[in-house]
Amino acid sequence: MLTKKQIELLGENLSKKIENIARITNPKEIKILIGNEKEFLIEKLLKEKRLVKLKWKNCYLYRTKPYDAARSEASTYIATKKKEDAGPTNNWLDPKRIRKKLFKILKNSMKGKTMYVVPYILGPEKSPYSKVGVMLTDNEYVALNELILAKVTKKAILRIKKGEDFVFGIHSTCKLDPKNRYIVHFPGKNEIISVNTEYGGNAILTKKCHSLRIASFQARKEGWLAEHMMAIQVINPEKESFGISAAFPSMCGKTNLATIKPEKEFKNWKVKLLSDDIIWIHEKEGKAYAINPEYGMFGVANGTNEKTNSNIMKTIKQDTIFTNVGLTKNLEPWWDGLETKSKILEKANPNSRFTVSILKYQNLSKYFFDPFGLKIDAILFGSRRKELFPLVFETFSWEEGVLFGAMLRSETTAAVIENYKQLKNDPMAMRPFLGYNMAKYFLHWLKFGKKLKEKPRIFFVNWFRRDEKGNFIWPGFNKNMYVIKWIIERSKGKVNAIKTPIGFIPNYDEFDFGMEKEKLEKLFEIDKEAWLKEFSDARKFFSIFQNFPKVLSKKLDELEERMKS
Ligand code: OXD
Ligand code: MN
């Protein structure tokens, strides 16, 4: 139970809530974290041989069970009184019934362990858009990740004591039994309970659970957007600044785009990072502004190397927690694509990750600290498609942009346990992360657009188109700067474009993409029949929603007509 001093710090309300859970889970002690406990947790994990000290400075390796090394969408639920409020794309549970079951699972689950109380702020501390929460966990690895990924601070407690709304998260490792793995959200109650898992997206509750699922629910009520997007500030040689955000499904290159390095063709261009995974967008004076709720990156290690992403390599060479990467004889971390002279003892999980503070990244945007955030001038949707989608196109309007976002389908990746490598509908890259009915979410996007006098233009990108031999046509990574440049010039009205039925594509005779014309022709090819099939598949998908917005149906009709004629 809490000590007198702890109760004084936490206040009565919060103390009661915590003691309630402690009575059920029965930990041997309760520890409140206030932000400076990283070393202590690392020491404990090392002593218990749960962490491997690596050769890189202050870097460590943690291994989760192979069946617990990615998000489990099948175990993720939205618990609302009415099933319809969760919508057809979420797993739904009755809140009363599941609470009972979860409390049974939680019974004595922390016996002999420490329960950590983790108070946190999401977003810039002084931002009117920031949110607070408290998470309980019995897992040192999860607590350590929280210390890097969220702003863990006593100040959160002070805000809660003053009466601010907060999210309450309960995480218990239990026996890591996948059959009893539950990640349950109670959006109306601002509560999250996660059991029998310790993998990032399932267990680090500030990330997907709070910053997206619970936040998206709040965002609809309060008139803003919580999105699975990265965001960057791009500065051109004329020193003009642009805000670009992009929604791609997991493992489709958000972190790589967020940390892109302008190479020699882009002398005097600068790219600064705002967020690599999640942003909260608010309207201010008719414009869209984004803040990053997180304070760190939980990025994909596999495939990252000096060639593909030297910026990230520099950042993760110290002070980083690696999860499920491989190992060399020399105790260096290892994964596919990384060079090493040492013998490889162990391979990496395809979803191996690094956790690092965003403050360690050398090109952080000053807007990361701005209470109102970065102004967004262009929004990108993108996915992993070997066919059909051109490298880039600009949609004709906010509504059509929302429609293309809603139509987003992607080849699934190792970020999720289930359905690896299938084509899956993933509207706005938010399907796994939305805390309410998706039809209402589409409508919310349309409404949000109406508030914006200066609307960001909406583009679609696809780095993953392949040729007949199955090879990627576009080199991707730092070469994506060509696309970023086109998007900026386009937003400024500086370049012409070719009108196609889906939107504007670049006039690549005039605009340099650093690539031969034949390949560009392939990258921008519009296959009429295949597009008509895409629209008809989209229609089928949209038919699962009872209240699909009429505006979007009408836009889809128009699109189809244009493609036919
Ligand atoms: C993530 C994910 O971990 O999207 O960011 O799975
Ligand atoms: Mn993500």
Side-chain angles (χ1 to χ4, degrees), residues 134-390:
V134 173
M135 174 190 177
L136 311 179
T137 180
D138 59 1
N139 188 312
E140 283 78 13
Y141 160 76
V142 171
L144 178 60
N145 271 275
E146 286 294 5
L147 286 170
I148 301 169
L149 294 175
K151 177 92 186 166
V152 177
T153 165
K154 253 191 213 172
K155 288 181 191 157
I157 301 174
L158 297 180
R159 283 170 59 168
I160 292 167
K161 274 162 108 176
K162 278 193 186 147
E164 194 170 322
D165 260 1
F166 68 101
V167 170
F168 191 58
I170 303 159
H171 168 256
S172 185
T173 316
C174 302
K175 298 216 155 54
L176 296 175
D177 167 14
K179 284 198 213 77
N180 275 307
R181 177 165 55 205
Y182 285 94
I183 303 113
V184 186
H185 306 74
F186 302 85
K189 278 204 134 68
N190 276 353
E191 248 179 62
I192 308 155
I193 303 179
S194 162
V195 292
N196 280 306
T197 174
E198 58 176 345
Y199 170 75
N202 299 333
I204 303 166
L205 302 187
T206 56
K207 200 172 172 60
K208 307 298 187 183
C209 302
H210 182 162
S211 295
L212 286 175
R213 295 194 195 94
I214 298 286
S216 62
F217 178 89
Q218 296 175 326
R220 191 174 86 91
K221 277 206 308 208
E222 296 166 11
W224 49 281
L225 295 170
E227 296 301 323
H228 191 208
M229 287 184 180
M230 66 100 228
I232 46 179
Q233 178 199 3
V234 184
I235 302 161
N236 69 7
E238 291 81 50
K239 305 220 165 9
E240 296 166 306
S241 171
F242 296 87
I244 295 180
S245 73
F248 309 156
S250 310
M251 291 188 92
C252 291
K254 278 193 301 300
T255 305
N256 280 319
L257 186 61
T259 56
I260 193 170
K261 183 177 181 170
E263 290 176 345
K264 54 182 187 309
E265 309 98 297
F266 295 93
K267 217 173 145 222
N268 298 324
W269 285 76
K270 290 195 178 84
V271 179
K272 310 257 178 187
L273 170 68
L274 183 90
S275 172
D276 79 313
D277 194 40
I278 299 171
I279 55 172
W280 291 350
I281 308 177
H282 288 78
E283 176 270 339
K284 183 168 81 85
E285 292 156 5
K287 297 171 196 146
Y289 286 84
I291 61 163
N292 181 356
E294 300 192 277
Y295 282 80
M297 299 188 260
F298 182 67
V300 179
N302 243 22
T304 308
N305 58 48
E306 293 294 344
K307 245 167 91 195
T308 56
N309 197 323
S310 57
N311 278 341
I312 275 291
M313 282 309 291
K314 203 164 156 186
T315 309
I316 62 176
K317 282 260 163 94
Q318 60 283 303
D319 305 312
T320 301
I321 307 294
F322 291 95
T323 305
N324 299 329
V325 294
L327 194 63
T328 71
K329 198 172 169 201
N330 220 355
L331 293 183
E332 295 157 327
W334 187 81
W335 52 81
D336 281 340
L338 199 63
E339 277 194 22
T340 179
K341 292 196 177 75
S342 178
K343 192 174 166 207
I344 295 153
L345 298 181
E346 205 179 309
K347 286 208 158 194
N349 182 289
N351 188 36
S352 57
R353 298 281 178 145
F354 57 78
T355 312
V356 69
S357 164
I358 202 164
L359 303 176
K360 305 265 165 171
Y361 184 69
Q362 60 277 16
N363 306 319
L364 192 60
S365 168
K366 64 177 182 191
Y367 292 104
F368 177 81
F369 302 99
D370 191 300
F372 295 99
L374 169 72
K375 180 172 158 268
I376 297 296
D377 301 294
I379 293 175
L380 280 49
F381 290 116
S383 66
R384 194 179 275 272
R385 292 295 294 266
K386 55 177 181 281
E387 74 311 73
L388 194 69
F389 277 78

Side-chain angles (χ1 to χ4, degrees), residues 125-137:
E125 238 179 87
K126 299 217 162 71
S127 170
Y129 310 141
S130 67
K131 298 278 183 192
V132 290
V134 173
M135 174 190 177
L136 311 179
T137 180

Side-chain angles (χ1 to χ4, degrees), residues 19 95 152 171 421 424 447 501 524 555:
E19 288 198 323
V152 177
H171 168 256
K421 285 194 175 159
K424 193 172 176 195
K447 273 194 194 153
F524 287 107
K555 285 284 165 202

